[in-house]
Each structure stands twice: as structure tokens, then as C-alpha cells.
Amino acid sequence: QKEVEQNSGPLSVPEGAIASLNCTYSDRGSQSFFWYRQYSGKSPELIMFIYSNGDKEDGRFTAQLNKASQYVSLLIRDSQPSDSATYLCAEYMNYGGATNKLIFGTGTLLAVQP
Amino acid sequence: KAGVTQTPRYLIKTRGQQVTLSCSPISGHRSVSWYQQTPGQGLQFLFEYFSETQRNKGNFPGRFSGRQFSNSRSEMNVSTLELGDSALYLCASSLMGDPQETQYFGPGTRLLVL
């Protein structure tokens, strides 16, 4: 089982709708989670970081973390065609010593239809 | 402030050769991480360097190695290239490499092994 699982998509939503992207993880000890956006042919860029249960909002983006269910989500309100990209979920795994690392899911492709 | 730079941007090599990739972090950043991105496996962590020391390591064979210089610039080396090493190699920098810090990615080096 992969440590971070995402539906590869594509997830297609109409412009102005809410896009909901989901991510599950297997390690109950994971401390913090990141959402990155990657446009085709470009490198990832950070959108949100969350480490405590509940919601975290930043503009049109809301990240939700539920540690009991081992579930992280990203909501994009008022989706725009410019939001069309691959969204990568990542967890920071802290085992101490030489094994601390950022583990990425394979990403969900979001397509916002004008 | 200049972003993370990587050279070269594109490389074509043949099986059995070796390759060295370079990464210059954002000024003041001391942590540099390397990732391999392929369509099938997504983004996978290779290693992280901080103050010229490899601090974290992913699950890659010993053919993959790296180093960091006193100015925080980093290089990674892949020896005895295999076809499966064809990928986008990304480096990312952050101030101290702490889990709650943003990692800023460079544009990547696309390696094709023939």
C-alpha cells in the first residue's frame, strides 16, 4: 500500500464550482501535510500546509485534516480555468535520524471547464 | 530574490554512463532536497542535504549520490545509468529543512537515458 493515496483523476468541474481533492495516508504518526500544485511542464509550488485537525483557509483554498480517519482534503472555491493543474498531496514523515522525508502522492489532475 | 536554479535543464545519456546534476538554492537557504519524478511513481524523495551533510535519504540504490558545498549548492550524481532512470529530477530548497517550512522547487532537469 502506498503511503499517500490520491485519485489520479481527471476531476472535471465547471468554472465557479467547488473542486474537492482528497488524499488518504497510512502512517498514523504523520505530523504535517502539504498541498502542492503542479502545472504541466512546471515544478510544484506550495498551496497549503496543515498540521492540526480541522480546517485551514487561505483565500479560495481550504485544507481539511482528519487524523482519526487519516484523511486530508483540499477544497477550491470558485474554481477558475487557471486552477487546472495536478494537485499533489504530501506528508512529512518524521522517524528521526536519517529517515525524515516528504512523501508525495501521485497527484490528482484537475480540469476546470470554462 | 532569485529562485532555485538547476542545470542543465535537459540531458540525454546512454545506458552505463554517469551524470551530474546541479542545484543552486535560494540565497540563505541551507537545506536542499532532491526528488525524482516519473509518470508511474510520481515524486519520490532521493535525499536531503544540510550544511554539507546528508541528513535524510530515500529508498534509492547506491548509484544515486549527492553532495553539498559550503555555499549550499548541491549536486547529485547517478552512475551506471539505466533506462528506468529517465525522469524529471527536481531539487527543492528551504531555510533549515524543518517540516513546517515551505520547500521551493527548481525547474528541474529532464534526463533521458537511451
Side-chain angles (χ1 to χ4, degrees):
Chain A
Q1 181 189 3
K2 281 190 68 70
E3 290 154 322
V4 179
E5 300 254 16
Q6 292 182 261
N7 188 317
S8 61
L11 172 66
S12 183
V13 300
E15 183 175 356
I18 295 175
S20 177
L21 302 155
N22 305 313
C23 170
T24 59
Y25 60 94
S26 58
D27 189 335
R28 288 190 172 274
S30 294
Q31 298 180 321
S32 50
F33 300 85
F34 301 80
W35 282 100
Y36 280 83
R37 176 175 62 196
Q38 187 174 24
Y39 291 110
S40 180
K42 302 292 186 182
S43 54
E45 55 180 338
L46 182 71
I47 299 175
M48 297 282 285
F49 158 71
I50 187 167
Y51 65 91
S52 56
N53 271 328
D55 296 359
K56 180 179 179 182
E57 188 174 317
D58 184 1
R60 296 186 297 113
F61 299 95
T62 299
Q64 300 173 320
L65 173 58
N66 184 323
K67 290 189 176 182
S69 300
Q70 295 176 242
Y71 176 93
V72 189
S73 66
L74 179 70
L75 299 177
I76 306 175
R77 289 181 298 281
D78 188 23
S79 295
Q80 301 297 309
S82 59
D83 294 326
S84 299
T86 296
Y87 288 80
L88 301 164
C89 171
E91 65 172 340
Y92 185 82
M93 302 188 77
N94 184 353
Y95 295 118
T99 53
N100 299 338
K101 52 188 178 181
L102 202 58
I103 305 297
F104 284 85
T106 51
T108 298
L109 178 62
L110 172 66
V112 180
Q113 308 299 326
Chain B
K1 186 184 270 192
V4 179
T5 58
Q6 291 186 246
T7 56
R9 295 293 310 279
Y10 303 93
L11 263 180
I12 299 176
K13 293 285 187 179
T14 56
R15 277 182 301 173
Q17 287 187 308
Q18 75 165 20
V19 66
T20 299
L21 313 180
S22 180
C23 171
S24 292
I26 291 172
S27 178
H29 285 192
R30 296 170 62 188
S31 169
V32 174
S33 297
W34 288 89
Y35 296 86
Q36 181 196 66
Q37 187 172 33
T38 59
Q41 297 296 317
L43 257 171
Q44 293 185 281
F45 174 77
L46 280 156
F47 28 66
E48 185 236 358
Y49 285 87
F50 179 83
S51 290
E52 302 178 66
T53 300
Q54 185 183 88
R55 195 163 61 172
N56 296 297
K57 189 176 188 305
N59 299 324
F60 278 81
R63 300 185 296 107
F64 292 82
S65 63
R67 58 178 176 168
Q68 187 180 35
F69 302 95
S70 58
N71 62 358
S72 293
R73 189 177 71 84
S74 177
E75 289 181 347
M76 69 162 280
N77 183 277
V78 188
S79 63
T80 319
L81 284 165
E82 300 176 359
L83 296 179
D85 297 333
S86 295
L88 178 66
Y89 290 87
L90 293 159
C91 81
S93 77
S94 64
L95 272 171
M96 303 293 287
D98 289 339
Q100 297 180 14
E101 288 178 358
T102 299
Q103 288 197 19
Y104 295 89
F105 282 84
T109 294
R110 191 164 295 279
L111 171 66
L112 177 61
V113 182
L114 301 176

